[in-house]
Amino acid sequence: MAAFTIAAGTGNWFSALALGVTLLKCLLIPTYHSTDFEVHRNWLAITHSLPISQWYYEATSEWTLDYPPFFAWFEYILSHVAKYFDQEMLNVRNLNYSSSRTLLFQRFSVIFMDVLFVYAVHECCKCIDGKKVGKELTEKPKFILSVLLLWNFGLLIVDHIHFQYNGFLFGLMLLSIARLFQKRHMEGAFFFAVLLHFKHIYLYVAPAYGVYLLRSYCFTANKPDGSIRWNSFSFVRVISLGLVVFLVSALSLGPFLALNQLPQVFSRLFPFKRGLCHAYWAPNFWALYNALDKVLSVIGLKLKFLDPNNIPKASMTSGLVQQFQHTVLPSVTPLTTLICTLIAILPSIFCLWFKPQGPRGFLRCLTLCALSSFMFGWHVHEKAILLAILPMSLLSVQKAGDASIFLILTTTGHYSLFPLLFTAPELPIKILLMLLFTIYSISSLKTLFRKEKPLFNWMETFYLLGLGPLEVCCEFVFPFTSWKEGNGSRLKNTLLVPTQTRI
């Protein structure tokens, strides 16, 4: 705190925030890590020891390479640093290999790559206007936004405990958003194109980028009523954007096109056989759908409407990652989820085209695209909620209404990440970190908008307070019941669905 006070007094408060969260990340190095740790170690080994022609065919481990080529090259570059730590981690046949040096290298590589995220947050803070500037540093919108992004609870536990490389990827996304706010559209398009070839989950928000760039960059003027002026269309700008996307895609996919391996690459990127839901259900529409199917099947068995011999042995609550058939309700196909997602995003896309509101309108559309994909997408992970939470942070310091939505979304969304950390030593860590982040978020935004109406109504307050008893039930009551392991977490996330739907 003393260091922060000194830094704040000299105007270096942002550096103090960044340094503080970096030290916290270092403290989390010895904590539990998930199978994603082995996933990325295996990708280091694949890209280091095998020629590029075998990267997307190698299947010695079940954790095959299933990210786009830019991420594969990223692992390749990391592997040439990793060899100075522990050469054995780069052996493809060393399955589930772990050592203290391997742990340190992989943990520090995530921390180091977060430099890009820190820079992107700094750029985003420049895009926040100063209409609501408090006397105290901690009441300034830029300070609040910096804390909400740099110290985001979800990103901390997913990257620095569970283990992934989301920080620098979200850094690319925030940097592209910042460039669009700064009217540097070509740079924004470039960063987003690069991002898609690092991790294809960001395709969820691609419609927002495509429509916004076409409407606000390729059409150079509007009529007085705000409608589009069709004769202002710029072919040069369209060609420029297309060229950026083409060159980035060519650099990423070109080598595999030359090897005639694009079908194999795409089969790895879009493995639809993994099933409708992840092992631990994300709190989306399909969680309710699965729960309803389960309830109907139990009722059907009790009333003898269903033949027990005809019910699949594998159920949607087994926790396995593969395709399943629903028992009573119609089974859901990838095409069905795609249609539902497209229908869900249409209203926000419509508004972005016909009622443009500048970069903030784009940011709202992006958030709604992320939430729509989260609610109706195929095989959605709990972690995908961060794709909506982080952009929403930028809106939360601008208007009270957005702050209210952000607080409900971030509290329930972060809470739905709890099943990722299921080991006993991490229980107090995740509860304490979430409490600290949630309390700060609510108190700082309430202070920022203290002259406006309350951020929560009584029903929302009651709902959020109910998360405490729910956590007690899931952590301390369900383990002593006859329920299968993991069903408490699925029940928890099913109960969060109404809030995500309301948002």
Side-chain angles (χ1 to χ4, degrees), residues 147 227 411:
V147 177
S227 61
T411 304

Side-chain angles (χ1 to χ4, degrees), residues 429-498:
I429 296 176
K430 67 182 182 182
I431 290 177
L432 178 61
L433 286 178
M434 180 172 171
L435 279 176
L436 289 173
F437 182 84
T438 304
I439 291 171
Y440 173 80
S441 302
I442 294 174
S443 61
S444 61
L445 291 175
K446 276 190 172 182
T447 302
L448 184 63
F449 298 105
R450 57 184 174 272
K451 295 182 180 180
E452 304 187 31
K453 65 178 183 179
L455 297 181
F456 302 129
N457 59 37
W458 69 268
M459 190 177 297
E460 292 164 343
T461 302
F462 180 77
Y463 181 86
L464 293 178
L465 290 175
L467 296 180
L470 177 61
E471 176 62 13
V472 171
C473 285
C474 291
E475 294 290 349
F476 303 107
V477 176
F478 276 105
F480 297 100
T481 67
S482 59
W483 280 49
K484 292 181 181 179
E485 181 182 358
N487 277 353
S489 298
R490 295 187 188 94
L491 173 63
K492 176 199 302 182
N493 280 1
T494 301
L495 293 175
L496 295 177
V497 176

Side-chain angles (χ1 to χ4, degrees), residues 289-302 305-307 310-312 316 324-332:
Y289 191 85
N290 294 339
L292 178 60
D293 183 73
K294 190 71 175 179
V295 170
L296 291 176
S297 66
V298 171
I299 294 174
L301 288 172
K302 292 286 185 182
F305 291 148
L306 297 176
D307 183 356
N310 294 332
I311 294 180
M316 290 300 299
F324 292 98
Q325 297 295 316
H326 288 88
T327 304
V328 179
L329 298 176
S331 293
V332 180

Side-chain angles (χ1 to χ4, degrees), residues 332-388:
V332 180
T333 65
L335 180 60
T336 302
T337 63
L338 176 61
I339 293 172
C340 291
T341 302
L342 291 176
I343 292 173
I345 70 174
L346 275 178
S348 58
I349 294 296
F350 181 90
C351 289
L352 186 61
W353 180 267
F354 289 100
K355 298 180 180 180
Q357 299 175 2
R360 286 186 180 81
F362 157 73
L363 199 52
R364 292 176 191 278
C365 182
L366 183 150
T367 303
L368 288 170
C369 284
L371 281 172
S372 298
S373 302
F374 183 83
M375 289 300 298
F376 297 106
W378 178 267
H379 196 74
V380 175
H381 290 229
E382 312 95 317
K383 301 180 282 290
I385 195 62
L386 295 176
L387 193 53

Side-chain angles (χ1 to χ4, degrees), residues 139-270:
E139 295 180 8
K140 296 180 184 295
K142 291 184 179 182
F143 180 88
I144 296 172
L145 177 61
S146 297
V147 177
L148 295 181
L149 289 173
L150 292 176
W151 289 75
N152 180 270
F153 164 77
L155 204 51
L156 275 174
I157 68 166
V158 170
D159 276 14
H160 301 281
I161 300 181
H162 179 78
F163 191 84
Q164 277 191 350
Y165 288 92
N166 292 293
F168 88 93
L169 297 174
F170 277 115
L172 281 172
M173 187 180 77
L174 291 178
L175 196 54
S176 73
I177 292 172
R179 293 298 180 250
L180 294 183
F181 268 77
Q182 296 161 0
K183 300 190 182 302
R184 295 156 66 175
H185 297 88
M186 293 294 289
E187 290 181 47
F190 170 76
F191 285 125
F192 184 69
V194 169
L195 176 61
L196 287 180
H197 288 276
F198 267 103
K199 192 170 183 178
H200 50 304
I201 191 176
Y202 294 93
L203 279 170
Y204 286 164
V205 298
Y209 275 89
V211 172
Y212 178 73
L213 287 170
L214 182 62
R215 179 66 174 84
S216 301
Y217 181 66
C218 297
F219 286 94
T220 59
N222 293 325
K223 294 179 181 179
D225 61 357
S227 61
I228 195 167
R229 190 183 295 276
W230 293 98
N231 61 3
S232 68
F233 183 74
S234 172
F235 283 101
V236 173
R237 291 189 174 190
V238 170
I239 293 172
S240 299
L241 284 174
L243 192 60
V244 166
V245 175
F246 172 78
L247 291 176
V248 171
S249 300
L251 184 61
S252 171
L253 301 174
F256 300 96
L257 178 62
L259 293 168
N260 198 28
Q261 291 185 359
L262 277 188
Q264 175 63 18
V265 173
F266 287 128
S267 71
R268 286 284 183 87
L269 298 185
F270 303 100

